[in-house]
Amino acid sequence: TALVKLEKNGGPIDQEHLKRLQQEYEKKIETLQLEIKQDPAVKEFEAINDKEFNPASPKQLSSVLFEILGLPPVKLTSTQAFSTDVEVLDELAPLHPLPAKIVTMRKLVKMKNTYIDKILSVLDADGRLRSSFNIQGTTSGRLSSSGNLNYQNLPKDTGPDTIKARSE
């Protein structure tokens, strides 16, 4: 069957394209981190707390957004803290540039770490990505994938950042 063939042969991945994407993402992330670090509210946070701001920390981000900048909280988390999830940041973006930068950085970091770096680390010596496909075992009866990388979790078309198969 087609699944057995794909399991055996794997999917060819354009490694050079992924390596270029990896470098581009690293540069974009580094630029965003620098822009975030230069924000006056972030500098104020660092001065008040005598520590470097971590944009991945919901608690620190909450402090910058809601205490220092005075932006309106949109919703609470299950622990009754002010939420800094993507919906909240998108809603706050028109009020200040920092939330949009955080959202963009999160997306770039997710794409780089979860997909680009992961795929490059699990490619076989022949430049192919192999996975196992499971016909049984899901409650929905749908096909599932497991192994080095779940093929079904690869992002759909992301424009020029698409993870490309290598032409043969």
Side-chain angles (χ1 to χ4, degrees):
T1 71
L3 290 179
V4 172
K5 186 176 179 181
L6 184 57
E7 281 183 356
K8 180 181 172 201
N9 296 332
I13 299 293
D14 186 342
Q15 289 181 66
E16 294 309 311
H17 174 70
L18 275 185
K19 288 177 183 175
R20 280 191 305 275
L21 279 180
Q22 187 180 46
Q23 290 174 346
E24 288 173 22
Y25 273 66
E26 286 169 1
K27 287 178 188 172
K28 288 176 184 178
I29 291 166
E30 190 176 300
T31 299
L32 271 171
Q33 287 173 331
L34 187 60
E35 289 176 13
I36 290 167
K37 186 161 180 59
Q38 296 303 314
D39 189 282
V42 169
K43 287 183 176 189
E44 185 177 335
F45 170 88
E46 291 178 338
I48 292 169
N49 294 284
D50 195 31
K51 66 180 172 183
E52 189 173 332
F53 174 69
N54 176 2
S57 165
K59 186 174 181 179
Q60 291 183 19
L61 183 56
S62 178
S63 176
V64 169
L65 296 177
F66 307 118
E67 294 170 22
I68 295 172
L69 287 173
L71 297 175
V74 177
K75 67 180 180 180
L76 298 174
T77 66
S78 60
T79 61
Q80 301 306 303
F82 295 140
S83 175
T84 58
D85 69 14
V86 69
E87 293 169 359
V88 169
L89 296 176
D90 283 342
E91 194 167 326
L92 296 174
L95 305 175
H96 193 276
L98 188 60
K101 289 178 183 178
I102 298 291
V103 168
T104 301
M105 192 177 76
R106 284 180 180 175
K107 287 177 183 176
L108 292 172
V109 167
K110 171 79 173 175
M111 184 73 171
K112 181 185 173 298
N113 293 346
T114 305
Y115 301 108
I116 298 169
D117 292 350
K118 174 75 174 174
I119 290 171
L120 285 171
S121 73
V122 298
L123 283 178
D124 288 337
D126 61 359
R128 291 175 169 271
L129 182 62
R130 289 182 173 79
S131 187
S132 297
F133 293 94
N134 313 304
I135 297 173
Q136 299 173 344
T138 61
T139 56
S140 65
R142 296 180 185 162
L143 183 68
S144 69
S145 171
S146 60
N148 289 334
L149 188 76
N150 183 341
Y151 269 93
Q152 294 165 300
N153 284 348
L154 290 174
K156 297 200 179 358
D157 183 28
T158 54
D161 297 347
T162 300
I163 295 170
K164 297 179 180 179
R166 183 182 69 232
S167 58
E168 304 206 313

